[in-house]
Amino acid sequence: MSRLTERVCPVFRNDDVSADTEVESFEAFCALFDRYGFRQLHGVTIWGPVANPTGENRLFAKGKQGIIEHCNRHIESNPEIIEFLNGRDDELAAHGYHHICYAHEAYDTQMAELEKTLEALARLFPRKEVRVFIPPFNASNQHTRRVCERLGLEINDASGSILLENAGVPRPDWLGKTLRYHYWKYGTKVPYATLTEQLAAIHEFLRASENDDE
């Protein structure tokens, strides 16, 4: 890992990797981060589809049962994306067994969902240490905190974060915050050129900050 990458805390956060992640376009997306030496934290959901090719996330409106019925394809059915992630130095985060809203769920339900998530991730990505939980919809409750503490997971939600796909021109103060986004919105809702410009600017902020420390 480069010194520049270490200055971003935490790594760039990419949500919604799942059974429907198309590996060819995802490789091109990740290549933009690789160009600047940036690692990513990929939130993996076990049952998909999660993304929406129109660029809008309509899962929440389906409700819990609707989400579970809609998300009927296991990520294991997409061996290409599993192989691709296993070959990268990026970190993985749990993003739910199903992409349900944890803020409405009891302790036992959340524990069961996250235990199954971690079991699947450990089996499919044996070289990855999963230390982070990204709550779907960035929504959680007191039970989520208790479950994650029990399982040794850090919660990374919307607190102190920047939604990169909607943020526009980068500023230096972004360096101390989570930079989160959904890979599937790029090329549909957000031009790839916008992301490239943002990453280049962030890289320059880091370089300037590094030079100030010398």
Side-chain angles (χ1 to χ4, degrees), residues 84-140:
F84 178 66
L85 288 175
N86 271 320
R88 292 182 62 80
D89 191 34
D90 291 338
E91 186 177 353
L92 302 186
H95 195 41
Y97 198 66
H98 298 96
H99 200 286
I100 61 174
C101 183
Y102 278 63
H104 302 310
E105 299 301 325
Y107 177 90
D108 289 344
T109 300
Q110 296 192 44
M111 177 62 78
E113 284 275 314
L114 269 177
E115 284 183 329
K116 289 188 293 185
T117 304
L118 294 177
E119 179 182 340
L121 291 173
R123 178 170 57 85
L124 298 172
F125 305 98
R127 296 186 299 276
K128 304 286 188 182
E129 181 183 3
V130 178
R131 299 174 294 181
V132 176
F133 174 52
I134 301 170
F137 311 112
N138 289 295
S140 60

Side-chain angles (χ1 to χ4, degrees), residues 44-93:
V44 177
T45 302
I46 304 303
W47 285 93
V50 175
N52 189 311
T54 65
E56 298 293 338
N57 193 337
R58 300 192 179 101
L59 274 183
F60 187 81
K62 295 179 181 294
K64 178 182 177 180
Q65 194 56 41
I67 290 171
I68 292 174
E69 291 172 359
H70 173 76
C71 296
N72 57 8
R73 182 183 170 199
H74 197 282
I75 192 172
E76 197 166 14
S77 69
N78 189 348
E80 291 85 1
I81 200 64
I82 294 171
E83 181 181 3
F84 178 66
L85 288 175
N86 271 320
R88 292 182 62 80
D89 191 34
D90 291 338
E91 186 177 353
L92 302 186

